């Protein structure tokens, strides 16, 4: 059966996840009371992974359909396994809450249902940070980097997880590229952690804040969050720099290491990413300055941190933006839709898709005036295939449709219209921050269980670029997966 090659690879990943679960257990064993729920869940995950690995069979040829299924199964099973330590230990006695917390971690969303984090054991704080860090670059990229003999068609796994069209990027050796991306990811992690420690954080806080920053997540190691560092401008701007870096395209950074810093400026998407951030910062600074409650410098500092945090989906806060002018709040709200560059750790629509939609719309208006005009959408000087333009349009439609449906469902649980819209925008964009009762000083624990389950689905959809999960709902997707493949027999006819 074709499903067996999927089982084999997913089993390998679960074995890897079971090993990583021993890290928070080891921390608890050394520094505090050990929580044996990690051992129990690690054993259960290893048993499940081992069974899938044993009953599956290795494969070297993966189709795009296989990629969708492997990626979806990997994220769903990893989310379930990551929730069990919270549930078995009693830290989150509701399984829905435990699932919400784990999915929020592994999708790098950062929305939390834990109201008082200071009373949570440090081993679980570390586990939250680890789920961020693993999910940030992408579990499938991790698989491609460390598992051997996946074959040339393993590129389908990479494309299934990050289905963002990007011209001019050729990945002839996908496994080699995955290793290089992880090296850059590790380099950013190490540098950020050392700088945060040097700026005054403890090692534990620096490690966990780094996990969240590089993954553009939002989980913090204490209840005060980044409010605790609001007066430390060294920490503020270290976080700002690495949030911007994490929101950029990691393949561009690979080009920078090869050909120099000019590669960032040559990339049109990256330039637009920085321009949109700059415009947003200026608008919020203007709104805060008009209000007059803060100095211009303080307004600029707060606007810079909050806009970058919201647009990159990092989900940190150093100011209560619920008391900001409506114009500033509207800019923050809209920024949750933009996201960062393709190939980044951010969520949202992504800058490349916005560029494609804007350019194709302008061309459409020109063709309305000049019907015989022939003009292509170009990015970095290269024409975009029509199918990529259509893909961006389909994505935008599905994104807004899911946004509308989810908002209706959450509003039906009792949340008002404004907060429902803001909640879904933050969750679907993997930001983790909202407004009002779900603002920077509150948690998502107040949500109805139905709303929490809706958020769980939206977080996964947002992280996996919608298509990866949605295609599984089509009946045609499953044709041939559970049919035993027969070996062809040949009859020799003697004459």
């Amino acid at each position: 059966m074709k499903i067996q090659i999927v089982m084999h690879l997913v089993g390998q990943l679960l074995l890897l996840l079971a090993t990583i679960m021993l890290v928070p257990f080891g921390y608890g064993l050394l520094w505090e009371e050990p929580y044996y729920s990690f051992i129990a869940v690690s054993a259960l995950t290893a048993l499940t992974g081992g069974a899938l690995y044993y009953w599956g069979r290795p494969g070297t040829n993966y189709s795009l359909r296989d990629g969708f299924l492997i990626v979806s199964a990997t994220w769903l099973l990893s989310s379930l396994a990551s929730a069990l330590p919270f549930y078995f230990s009693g830290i989150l006695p509701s399984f829905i809450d435990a699932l919400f917390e784990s999915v929020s971690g592994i999708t790098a969303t950062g929305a939390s249902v834990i109201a008082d984090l200071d009373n949570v054991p440090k081993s679980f704080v570390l586990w939250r940070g680890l789920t961020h860090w693993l999910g940030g670059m992408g579990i499938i990229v991790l698989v491609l980097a460390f598992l051997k003999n996946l074959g040339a068609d393993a590129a389908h796994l990479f494309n299934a997880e990050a289905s963002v069209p990007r011209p001019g990027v050729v990945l002839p050796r996908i496994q080699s590229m995955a290793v290089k991306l992880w090296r850059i990811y590790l380099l950013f992690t190490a540098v950020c952690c050392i700088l945060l420690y040097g700026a005054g954080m403890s090692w534990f806080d620096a490690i966990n804040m780094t996990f969240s920053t590089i993954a553009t997540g939002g989980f913090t190691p204490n209840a005060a969050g980044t409010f605790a560092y609001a007066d430390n401008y060294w920490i503020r701007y270290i976080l700002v720099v690495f949030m911007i870096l994490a929101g950029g395209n990691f393949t561009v950074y690979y080009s920078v290491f090869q050909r120099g810093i000019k590669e960032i400026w040559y990339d049109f998407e990256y330039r637009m990413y920085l321009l949109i951030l700059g415009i947003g910062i200026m608008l919020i600074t203007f709104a805060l300055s008009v209000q007059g409650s803060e100095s211009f410098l303080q307004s600029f500092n707060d606007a810079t941190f909050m806009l970058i945090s919201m647009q990159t989906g990092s989900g940190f806060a150093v100011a209560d933006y619920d008391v900001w002018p409506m114009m500033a709040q509207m800019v923050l709200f809209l920024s949750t839709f933009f996201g960062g560059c393709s190939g980044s750790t951010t969520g949202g629509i992504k800058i490349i898709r916005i560029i494609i939609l804007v350019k194709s719309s302008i061309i459409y208006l020109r063709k309305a005036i000049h019907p015989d005009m022939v003009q292509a959408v170009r990015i970095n000087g290269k024409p975009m295939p029509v199918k990529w333009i259509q893909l961006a349009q389909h994505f935008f439609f599905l994104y807004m449709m899911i946004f509308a449906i989810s908002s209706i469902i959450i509003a039906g649980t009792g949340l008002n219209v404004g907060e429902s819209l803001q909640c879904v925008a933050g969750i679907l964009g993997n930001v983790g921050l909202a407004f009002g009762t779900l603002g920077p000083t509150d948690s998502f624990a107040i949500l109805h269980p139905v709303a929490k389950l809706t958020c769980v689905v939206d977080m996964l959809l947002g992280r996996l670029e919608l298509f990866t999960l949605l295609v599984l709902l089509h009946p045609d997707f499953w044709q041939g997966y559970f049919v035993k493949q027969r070996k062809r027999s040949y009859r020799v006819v003697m004459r």
Side-chain angles (χ1 to χ4, degrees):
M1 293 185 292
K2 199 173 182 182
I3 194 68
Q4 288 178 296
I5 65 171
V6 175
M7 293 166 56
H8 189 269
L9 189 53
V10 173
Q12 286 180 291
L13 177 114
L14 290 180
L15 291 171
L16 180 62
L17 183 64
T19 305
I20 295 172
M21 282 184 182
L22 299 178
V23 174
F25 174 76
Y27 178 87
L29 198 63
L30 291 174
W31 300 104
E32 60 181 16
E33 180 184 354
Y35 278 79
Y36 291 95
S37 59
F38 286 111
I39 288 289
V41 177
S42 176
L44 181 61
T45 305
L47 186 63
T48 304
L52 290 173
Y53 181 83
Y54 178 78
W55 293 108
R57 60 179 176 83
T60 55
N61 296 314
Y62 298 93
S63 65
L64 181 58
R65 192 164 58 131
D66 297 332
F68 283 138
L69 184 55
I70 291 169
V71 170
S72 299
T74 294
W75 282 83
L76 292 172
L77 291 175
S78 297
S79 297
L80 288 171
S82 300
L84 293 179
F86 292 108
Y87 182 63
F88 287 166
S89 65
I91 300 294
L92 290 171
S94 166
F95 182 74
I96 293 177
D97 284 352
L99 184 63
F100 184 100
E101 196 77 11
S102 72
V103 171
S104 181
I106 211 160
T107 59
T109 302
S112 180
V113 292
I114 299 176
D116 188 6
L117 188 61
D118 289 336
N119 290 325
V120 173
K122 295 294 185 183
S123 53
F124 286 91
V125 175
L126 179 60
W127 177 236
R128 291 164 88 238
L130 274 171
T131 57
H132 259 357
W133 191 72
L134 290 172
M137 177 55 73
I139 296 174
I140 291 303
V141 179
L142 178 67
V143 172
L144 293 172
F146 293 103
L147 299 182
K148 304 296 183 182
N149 302 321
L150 291 183
D153 290 335
H156 292 313
L157 307 183
F158 187 94
N159 294 331
E161 188 176 42
S163 54
V164 180
R166 181 172 179 80
V169 176
V170 181
L171 302 177
R173 293 189 298 271
I174 191 71
Q175 192 173 19
S176 175
M177 176 60 75
V179 171
K180 290 178 173 66
L181 293 180
W182 260 93
R183 286 176 181 170
I184 296 171
Y185 195 62
L186 288 169
L187 176 64
F188 285 176
T189 300
V191 174
C192 182
C193 184
I194 292 169
L195 289 176
L196 289 176
Y197 176 73
M201 284 191 185
S202 67
W203 274 117
F204 183 82
D205 286 358
I207 291 170
N208 281 278
M209 284 299 298
T210 297
F211 285 162
S212 291
T213 304
I214 301 302
T216 60
F219 282 157
T220 56
N222 50 60
T226 41
F227 282 101
Y229 314 110
D231 296 329
N232 188 324
Y233 284 89
W234 283 109
I235 290 178
R236 268 200 190 203
Y237 278 92
I238 290 169
L239 294 177
V240 162
V241 168
F242 281 94
M243 283 191 290
I244 293 173
L245 289 174
N249 192 308
F250 276 71
T251 59
V252 172
Y253 300 142
Y254 174 65
S255 299
V256 168
F257 283 110
Q258 285 188 316
R259 293 185 287 272
I261 194 68
K262 63 182 182 298
E263 290 296 313
I264 287 181
W265 184 250
Y266 290 161
D267 187 79
F268 183 71
E269 182 192 19
Y270 209 109
R271 295 203 307 272
M272 290 301 100
Y273 165 59
L274 296 178
L275 178 63
I276 291 171
L277 287 177
I279 292 172
I281 290 169
M282 287 189 292
L283 289 173
I284 295 175
T285 302
F286 172 76
L288 293 176
S289 299
V290 170
Q291 187 184 52
S293 59
E294 297 178 345
S295 67
F296 177 82
L297 183 60
Q298 185 65 39
S299 297
F300 175 77
N301 285 330
D302 288 349
T304 299
F305 189 97
M306 288 308 310
L307 191 279
I308 292 171
S309 176
M310 293 286 270
Q311 184 169 324
T312 61
S314 300
F316 299 135
V318 292
D320 186 2
Y321 51 79
D322 276 331
V323 300
W324 283 6
M326 288 297 112
M327 176 182 172
Q329 292 189 43
M330 180 57 70
V331 173
L332 287 179
F333 173 67
L334 292 176
S335 71
T336 61
F337 289 91
F338 288 111
C341 298
S342 57
S344 69
T345 62
T346 62
I349 295 173
K350 297 287 196 326
I351 301 300
I352 188 67
R353 290 196 182 98
I354 294 170
I355 293 171
I356 292 171
L357 292 171
V358 170
K359 286 197 169 191
S360 61
S361 298
I362 292 172
I363 290 176
Y364 179 81
L365 291 175
R366 287 177 179 171
K367 285 186 176 181
I369 303 170
H370 307 287
D372 296 328
M373 182 188 72
V374 177
Q375 188 174 359
V377 175
R378 292 180 177 272
I379 308 291
N380 292 338
K382 296 180 172 62
M384 296 285 291
V386 174
K387 66 178 181 180
W388 287 8
I389 298 172
Q390 293 173 342
L391 185 64
Q393 293 168 344
H394 296 331
F395 180 91
F396 183 76
F397 169 75
L398 288 172
Y399 194 92
M400 299 311 298
M401 184 180 70
I402 292 167
F403 173 78
I405 294 172
S406 300
S407 298
I408 292 171
I409 293 173
I410 290 179
T413 65
L415 217 58
N416 67 49
V417 174
E419 290 179 343
S420 297
L421 294 171
Q422 294 155 1
C423 172
V424 176
I427 290 295
L428 188 58
N430 300 128
V431 177
L433 285 177
F435 295 79
T437 54
L438 301 173
T441 59
D442 303 287
S443 79
F444 285 72
I446 64 168
L447 290 179
H448 189 276
V450 173
K452 289 175 183 174
L453 288 175
T454 304
C455 289
V456 165
V457 174
D458 284 350
M459 285 187 280
L460 288 167
L461 284 170
R463 182 62 182 85
L464 295 180
E465 307 286 343
L466 307 186
F467 299 117
T468 306
L469 279 178
L470 291 179
V471 294
L472 270 63
L473 301 179
H474 199 287
D476 291 347
F477 180 88
W478 299 99
Q479 287 184 2
Y481 263 107
F482 299 98
V483 177
K484 189 173 182 180
Q485 296 177 343
R486 296 179 180 178
K487 293 183 179 180
R488 293 182 179 180
S489 59
Y490 298 92
R491 186 173 60 180
V492 178
V493 179
M494 302 295 293
R495 293 188 177 181

